[in-house]
Amino acid sequence: MDSVLSQCLLFFFFLFSITLTTTTKLARAQLPGTWELVVENAGIASMHTAVTRFNTVVLLDRTNIGPSRKMLPKGHCRFDRNDAVLKRDCYAHSVVLDLQTNQIRPLMILTDTWCSSGQFLPDGTLLQTGGDLDGLRKIRKFEPCEPNGRCNWVELDDVELNDGRWYATNQILPDGSVIIVGGRAANTVEYYPPRKNGAVSFPFLADVEDSQMDNLYPYVHLLPNGHLFIFANNKAVLYDHETNEVVKNYPPLDGGPRNYPSAGSSAMLALDGDYSTAVIVVCGGAQYGAFIERSTDTPAHGSCGRIVATGLDPVWEMEDMAFGRIMGDMVMLPTGEVLIINGAQAGTQGFELGSNPCLYPLLYRPDQPVGLRFMTLTPGTVPRMYHSTANLLPDGRVLIAGSNPHVLYRFKAEFPTELRIEAFSPEYLSADRANIRPVIEGIPETVRYGDAFEVSLSVTLPVVGIVEVNLGSAPFATHSFSQGQRLVKLAVKSAVPDGDGRYKVGCTAPPNGMVAPPGYYMAFAVNQGVPSVAHWVQLVA
């Protein structure tokens, strides 16, 4: 009898296991979005990532990390007698990816870029600042080129930062200059090109610093009124970068610290209409004390705060994600929705301090009511923990790179150094929407502020509503924040049929650099929530 009962129980559990496995696979299959492997071995684990106007991607690690898996060209070794790992370093610590061929080319970086910052200048050059050790005050530039070009990093010798900048944040300003905010032991701001007064004291950063810092990599957003929304730890101020004064203090955000080493992430929602309103969202983070205690299993929190930064007396509106998340990335999609991806569900930022990878991306839909804004998407299979990045690509995919929670490269670990590059395709790229995906046939390469211009496009099925034309910046992604990220929805007229499935859409460029700083943008046509492949447009004064 006991034997028969045991066999019945075993059979029951066998059926239950099969049912559970099938249900899990079915649930995953029914979730929106798809994943693909782009590059099996990039040679480096990207700590910092940026997409250029030539449809290439610059990936950058730190220099003093020992051997990577990509060699520099013969005769291009780096010599550093102070490097504790390699005095003669013939390995690449930066590469450029050609999105057309998925080929990788090594780049040479000389000084330490560990936890540095960056921003594209109006001419499309990537400005890269700070780091650790010999890179602490360094300013570098990467002037991108065609995929078959030989462009490389240039380290400036005629100018340097006033203060050392390790864990700082960069933001382009309306006049095309760049503000560099904070950094470890740097409670100041400074500018590139340098201003006469050099570094300027910014006491707010000192005021919000706690016993585990939590004021590093501050979230900096340029508002359409020209002021800066600067968030650190759990507080934010409105900063006038022309007078270097705080003009408003926002109420604290509940839920604990939100910046490094407890970082969640932050994004400014799409600017549209008359561009008078800017909304900031801050999501996730580690519990206070996890970094001090080196706790890898303290659950991350999943709360999000949303505030109208341009409001007269704004307050935080709170909501919860489906998962607690630390080290997530918030990526502005061409539609105005936000993808939240990467990270862990426990621990904190820092080497070996995260656990329970959060494999499920979320889609944040800002126009939905509270409680309905988050949609869970198809999970990935590769943990993307500390030092991972996410960047919007011109074709609407999101490039996922990096993850190295170790001091050096380690490939035999629970969460190994990750050299694979993946791409996540949101649901708008699914095959069943291909017949409403617009194709941009013509758009000006250069547009001046306030100009009226036309975009020519084609669509397989007839256009039945407004076709949006949206400008997306190319930010510098690092440490769960995309520096300089913004999406601007242009004022458009109804699409006018132009024969044979073609249409013309009248557009008006942003009015000034406060709404959209000068530079190169990905211009997307969006039809019924489905974006085109972007064309790069330079916005000038």
Side-chain angles (χ1 to χ4, degrees):
M1 183 70 179
D2 290 342
S3 176
V4 173
L5 180 61
S6 298
Q7 289 179 5
C8 289
L9 287 172
L10 283 172
F11 181 69
F12 170 78
F13 284 121
F14 174 72
L15 286 179
F16 178 77
S17 175
I18 291 177
T19 302
L20 183 62
T21 302
T22 304
T23 303
T24 301
K25 288 181 178 178
L26 183 62
R28 286 190 175 206
Q30 291 175 338
L31 291 173
T34 59
W35 290 83
E36 64 181 297
L37 180 65
V38 176
V39 176
E40 177 67 35
N41 182 359
I44 72 165
S46 189
M47 186 186 297
H48 323 79
T49 309
V51 179
T52 84
R53 63 189 176 94
F54 292 100
N55 294 330
T56 60
V57 183
V58 178
L59 302 105
L60 177 64
D61 197 2
R62 53 181 248 245
T63 54
N64 63 341
I65 201 165
S68 69
R69 292 299 183 269
K70 189 71 173 178
M71 300 298 295
L72 289 167
K74 188 175 181 180
H76 288 76
C77 299
R78 182 180 68 95
F79 297 90
D80 183 357
R81 63 184 181 183
N82 296 316
D83 193 316
V85 185
L86 287 175
K87 311 296 183 189
R88 181 176 182 269
D89 186 358
C90 301
Y91 295 91
H93 303 291
S94 180
V95 299
V96 61
L97 165 66
D98 177 2
L99 291 171
Q100 184 67 35
T101 64
N102 293 337
Q103 295 299 302
I104 295 284
R105 178 170 67 87
L107 302 175
M108 187 166 188
I109 195 88
L110 295 176
T111 54
D112 187 23
T113 51
W114 186 8
C115 301
S116 51
S117 51
Q119 195 79 167
F120 280 105
L121 299 174
D123 67 356
T125 297
L126 179 59
L127 177 75
Q128 216 279 325
T129 51
D132 192 20
L133 303 173
D134 61 351
L136 193 61
R137 296 176 185 267
K138 202 66 182 177
I139 299 175
R140 313 166 192 87
K141 286 185 176 181
F142 180 82
E143 186 174 343
C145 56
E146 295 287 353
N148 60 356
R150 309 310 298 171
C151 47
N152 215 321
W153 286 103
V154 174
E155 313 224 2
L156 306 188
D157 295 323
D158 58 339
V159 63
E160 67 175 11
L161 298 169
N162 281 274
D163 287 351
R165 302 288 172 184
W166 194 24
Y167 302 90
T169 301
N170 295 8
Q171 170 64 56
I172 190 170
L173 298 175
D175 65 356
S177 64
V178 173
I179 187 171
I180 307 161
V181 181
R184 194 164 187 169
N187 297 320
T188 60
V189 304
E190 61 181 284
Y191 299 86
Y192 181 87
R195 294 186 181 179
K196 292 181 180 179
N197 52 358
V200 179
S201 176
F202 187 28
F204 166 72
L205 292 176
D207 294 341
V208 297
E209 183 176 0
D210 59 30
S211 57
Q212 57 178 23
M213 296 170 291
D214 284 322
N215 66 343
L216 303 181
Y217 277 127
Y219 303 144
V220 181
H221 300 285
L222 173 66
L223 304 184
N225 59 16
H227 294 329
L228 296 169
F229 178 94
I230 303 179
F231 184 101
N233 197 327
N234 66 341
K235 296 179 181 178
V237 295
L238 188 65
Y239 188 76
D240 186 332
H241 58 84
E242 294 182 346
T243 63
N244 290 309
E245 295 176 330
V246 171
V247 295
K248 175 183 283 189
N249 288 276
Y250 293 92
L253 173 59
D254 292 338
R258 307 281 184 160
N259 293 80
Y260 189 94
S262 302
S265 190
S266 177
M268 180 172 68
L269 299 183
L271 301 176
D272 60 6
D274 65 359
Y275 306 120
S276 63
T277 301
V279 179
I280 309 297
V281 179
V282 179
C283 287
Q287 294 188 35
Y288 175 79
F291 183 77
I292 296 174
E293 297 165 5
R294 299 188 61 80
S295 171
T296 61
D297 56 3
T298 300
H301 55 74
S303 65
C304 292
R306 172 169 164 162
I307 194 168
V308 180
T310 48
L312 293 178
D313 191 19
V315 295
W316 290 98
E317 177 185 69
M318 301 302 296
E319 50 195 323
D320 290 311
M321 299 184 287
F323 309 95
R325 192 183 299 254
I326 174 76
M327 300 179 285
D329 287 274
M330 298 181 73
V331 180
M332 286 297 307
L333 299 179
T335 58
E337 297 167 316
V338 184
L339 180 70
I340 305 175
I341 199 165
N342 296 341
Q345 297 181 68
T348 181
Q349 286 179 309
F351 294 124
E352 320 285 349
L353 293 182
S355 68
N356 193 8
C358 198
L359 299 174
Y360 284 85
L362 295 176
L363 185 68
Y364 180 77
R365 300 169 294 176
D367 294 336
Q368 296 295 315
V370 174
L372 297 176
R373 289 177 179 153
F374 292 103
M375 176 188 290
T376 303
L377 306 178
T378 300
T381 58
V382 179
R384 300 286 180 174
M385 310 284 278
Y386 188 43
H387 291 151
S388 57
T389 61
N391 296 72
L392 177 66
L393 296 178
D395 62 10
R397 296 178 300 164
V398 175
L399 194 78
I400 308 298
S403 186
N404 184 27
H406 314 291
V407 176
L408 303 177
Y409 282 13
R410 285 184 59 197
F411 299 101
K412 294 182 179 180
E414 182 180 9
F415 305 117
T417 301
E418 188 54 65
L419 304 182
R420 285 172 289 183
I421 298 177
E422 297 177 288
F424 178 79
S425 294
E427 188 178 23
Y428 54 55
L429 293 179
S430 60
D432 62 351
R433 302 189 185 192
N435 55 8
I436 59 173
R437 189 177 196 192
V439 175
I440 294 178
E441 305 286 357
I443 189 171
E445 292 184 357
T446 302
V447 175
R448 294 189 178 277
Y449 289 120
D451 274 1
F453 63 96
E454 279 190 339
V455 175
S456 301
L457 54 89
S458 61
V459 188
T460 301
L461 291 182
V463 170
V464 295
I466 295 294
V467 176
E468 297 179 347
V469 177
N470 301 335
L471 302 183
S473 68
F476 181 86
T478 188
H479 289 76
S480 306
F481 183 62
S482 291
Q483 301 179 14
Q485 179 173 238
R486 75 200 297 110
L487 184 75
V488 180
K489 295 191 173 187
L490 301 186
V492 296
K493 298 179 180 179
S494 296
V496 177
D498 195 33
D500 196 26
R502 298 176 183 273
Y503 298 85
K504 291 186 181 296
V505 178
C507 309
T508 302
N512 52 54
M514 296 185 293
V515 174
Y520 285 88
Y521 290 80
M522 292 176 279
F524 294 92
V526 181
N527 178 39
Q528 299 182 58
V530 178
S532 67
V533 173
H535 284 226
W536 290 92
V537 172
Q538 187 178 23
L539 189 58
V540 299

